[in-house]
Amino acid sequence: MNKIFINPGHAPGGYPDPGAVGPSGLRESDVAVDVGAMVSVYLRSAGCDVIVYQSDSLQDICDRANAWGADAVVSIHCNSFSAPSATGMEIWTSRGQTRADSLSTYIMAQMAGEFPTLPVRGDWSDGDVDKEAGLYVLNNTVAPAVLVELAFISNPKEEAILASDEGKRMFAAAIARGITDWQVSAK
């Protein structure tokens, strides 16, 4: 189990859909590309095969991940809300108990350790941290899939973390460690 499909959220180059845009003009698609590229470097150094694929077509993302035979799909995003005070990190999976639940738990544990002052926005009602929804990529990939919301790009303090090379590196390292922790636990 070492084929990891990384999907930086939103359209390549931010056109036509850059995702959310922070107060300073930072685009979600740009943050996701940077973090996804860093995650791939970390995972490759850990012996994983990695594809980083960004598309504005959700079906295309699913088709590519499924055709490649991915063992896990990780979609990377930045959260946003109309109130700039919204804060924290979260991870989404498909509804119900699946192998993606444990993947989300390992990734969030690493992110929470890396960013102890950022709140973990989890749904603990079923005993794990993931929030569940019928999101297209999560429902239409064969492999366990998670959607990681790094932090709120709409919050000026969190946008500053997302804009910094160090913040992106810290998120990428945490995601990669969470994935490799999950792989080890599955053996």
Side-chain angles (χ1 to χ4, degrees), residues 1 14 16 31 44 65 67 76 87 99 102 126 143 157 165 170 174-175 187:
M1 177 183 346
V31 174
R44 285 186 180 114
I76 300 171
T87 184
R99 290 181 45 229
S102 60
D126 63 352
K157 289 180 182 174
D165 289 340
M170 291 168 66
I175 292 167
K187 290 183 179 177

Side-chain angles (χ1 to χ4, degrees), residues 108-179:
M108 184 55 82
Q110 288 293 336
M111 290 190 344
E114 198 73 52
F115 294 95
T117 61
L118 287 180
V120 172
R121 298 169 56 95
D123 174 7
W124 298 97
S125 64
D126 63 352
D128 51 37
V129 70
D130 65 307
K131 292 184 170 187
E132 298 177 357
L135 301 174
Y136 194 86
V137 171
L138 303 180
N139 283 340
N140 292 286
T141 53
V142 174
V146 298
L147 187 148
V148 179
E149 295 279 9
L150 302 175
F152 277 83
I153 199 168
S154 53
N155 177 313
K157 289 180 182 174
E158 293 186 15
E159 181 193 28
I161 295 168
L162 295 168
S164 74
D165 289 340
E166 180 66 6
K168 289 184 272 193
R169 184 201 62 75
M170 291 168 66
F171 272 117
I175 292 167
R177 285 192 310 268
I179 293 167

Side-chain angles (χ1 to χ4, degrees), residues 24-111:
S24 77
L26 182 66
R27 299 182 317 176
E28 177 181 4
S29 59
D30 296 336
V31 174
V33 163
D34 291 348
V35 172
M38 291 179 203
V39 170
S40 73
V41 169
Y42 290 125
L43 289 175
R44 285 186 180 114
S45 71
C48 296
D49 293 328
V50 182
I51 287 180
V52 179
Y53 185 73
Q54 187 179 36
S55 174
D56 59 352
S57 166
L58 299 178
Q59 186 61 55
D60 188 38
I61 292 164
C62 297
D63 290 346
R64 297 266 178 148
N66 292 338
W68 186 52
D71 294 312
V73 176
V74 178
S75 188
I76 300 171
H77 293 261
C78 302
N79 223 333
S80 184
F81 191 65
S82 57
S85 59
T87 184
M89 311 170 285
E90 58 193 19
I91 298 184
W92 293 84
T93 64
S94 58
R95 292 187 178 100
Q97 293 294 321
T98 70
R99 290 181 45 229
D101 292 6
S102 60
L103 176 59
S104 70
T105 299
Y106 281 107
I107 292 172
M108 184 55 82
Q110 288 293 336
M111 290 190 344

